[in-house]
Amino acid sequence: MLKVVKIRLYPDVQQQQSLAQAFGSCRWLWNYFLNLMNQTYKETGKGLSGYEVKKIIPQLKKEYEWLSQTYSQCLQQVCLNLGVAFNNFFEKRAKYPRFKSKHGKQSIQYPQNVKVANSCLTLPKIGDVSAIIHRPIEGKVKTVTISKNCSNQYFAAILFDDGKEKPASSTDGKAIGIDLGLTHFAVTSDSSKFDNPRIINKYEKNLKIKQQQISRKQKGSNNRIKARKKVARVHRKITNCREDFLHKLSRRIVNENQVIVLENLNIKGMMQNHCLAKSIHQVGWGMFCTMLKYKAEMDGKIYLEVDRFFPSSKTCHVCLNQVGSLPLDVRNWTCENCQTKHDRDINASINLKDEGLRILTSGTGGKACCPDVSRSKGGRKKSTTTLSVGQEAYSDASRTL
């Protein structure tokens, strides 16, 4: 099973210069080949693959001798990564590849010949770099990615194969549904509520002061560079606090449950709401779901996402009666059919858990709702029929489990 461990590096002054030169060479090569691919497509109507541009590297080394100072396999990996970037674009998984800048995050990738010791990392043409290895790296090292952030911190992401097989997933255990929100970051089906830390609000005043300082500095001056580093440190602190909160919460949920069910949120579409965009951006829903998914897979547990059009908030989890509309400002409501009083978020999490268990037991993944049915008079009978099918599915799932 493939695993990744990210460690902190502490290179000396000479090693920092060597890494800066390697970052610059790989960045220049990326931009050169990306421009070559663009021009080739305009002239011939055909593109170049990563393997085709890799054959040009020996010729470039004769023309630009400073390229030979960088490890050759790092340069070859740039070509392969560029080919993967174009494949992701054509398969609509990413945007069109962009030119890289010397400002911001820098990175290079070593496909092999990197040795990991107790307190250092041996890199070709750079030497032994001091490192803090906080987790054991047992297995065959595949690739090592060296990166530097805007705060001049160096990291190494080590991908290795531990030789173990991926554990088989099982449904034997506790199931939980999680409803994500802004007032409370997560509300679970067992009535647990986790508050939203609102990390940006804690550092907003400090960030504002640092951004005002950088705006008063002359462009291109050394003082402006120093001010940019101060802003980067504040953003780094915000990122670290957010990731710490998400890692701890996701690990707790995965350890305590076997089946984890969430809603497949359209975060990109929700960001179009300018009133909530800042709050949605700082909360980190997408990162939290990613952490839950890979941690559950590594532990042999089940992570499941329910369709975003499933009416989890508007459906009573007791009698499955669905209300017509439920505005966001209504946090508590009473079912007209069974007179049960519901907390909006807890009710939604329970419905998500029930829907997830229904999908697992049915084995077909069929939906218990049909959001495309119109609200006209001719479509109401279809909506009622769909709801009855969902009721039968819920009852079958409850009897099975």
Side-chain angles (χ1 to χ4, degrees), residues 183-207:
T183 304
H184 294 91
F185 176 79
V187 179
T188 62
S189 55
D190 55 3
S191 302
S192 298
K193 294 185 177 182
F194 301 94
D195 291 332
N196 183 3
R198 302 183 187 277
I199 298 170
I200 290 184
N201 295 346
K202 297 179 182 179
Y203 297 94
E204 193 170 18
K205 184 177 180 180
N206 186 20
L207 185 61

Side-chain angles (χ1 to χ4, degrees), residues 33-50:
F33 284 142
L34 180 57
N35 181 56
L36 179 63
M37 289 180 174
N38 293 338
Q39 290 181 351
T40 303
Y41 181 78
K42 290 180 181 179
E43 294 174 358
T44 63
K46 297 181 180 180
L48 297 174
S49 65

Side-chain angles (χ1 to χ4, degrees), residues 348-365:
S349 60
I350 294 175
N351 284 328
L352 289 175
K353 182 190 72 171
D354 294 341
E355 174 68 4
L357 294 177
R358 185 197 67 81
I359 294 175
L360 289 176
T361 54
S362 65
T364 59

Side-chain angles (χ1 to χ4, degrees), residues 114-133:
V114 177
K115 298 180 181 179
V116 181
N118 294 330
S119 60
C120 67
L121 204 67
T122 304
L123 303 176
K125 288 198 173 184
I126 294 179
D128 297 338
V129 182
S130 299
I132 296 180
I133 303 177

Side-chain angles (χ1 to χ4, degrees), residues 237-254:
K237 182 67 174 179
I238 295 173
T239 302
N240 292 343
C241 292
R242 181 189 296 112
E243 290 182 354
D244 180 72
F245 168 76
L246 297 179
H247 272 297
K248 290 179 179 178
L249 181 58
S250 59
R251 173 49 59 189
R252 174 180 174 181
I253 292 175
V254 171

Side-chain angles (χ1 to χ4, degrees), residues 311-334:
S312 57
S313 300
K314 299 189 294 183
T315 303
C316 173
H317 71 273
V318 178
C319 65
L320 301 182
N321 179 48
Q322 182 178 338
V323 297
S325 61
L326 196 66
L328 287 176
D329 57 346
V330 179
R331 310 313 301 176
N332 296 278
W333 59 283
T334 303

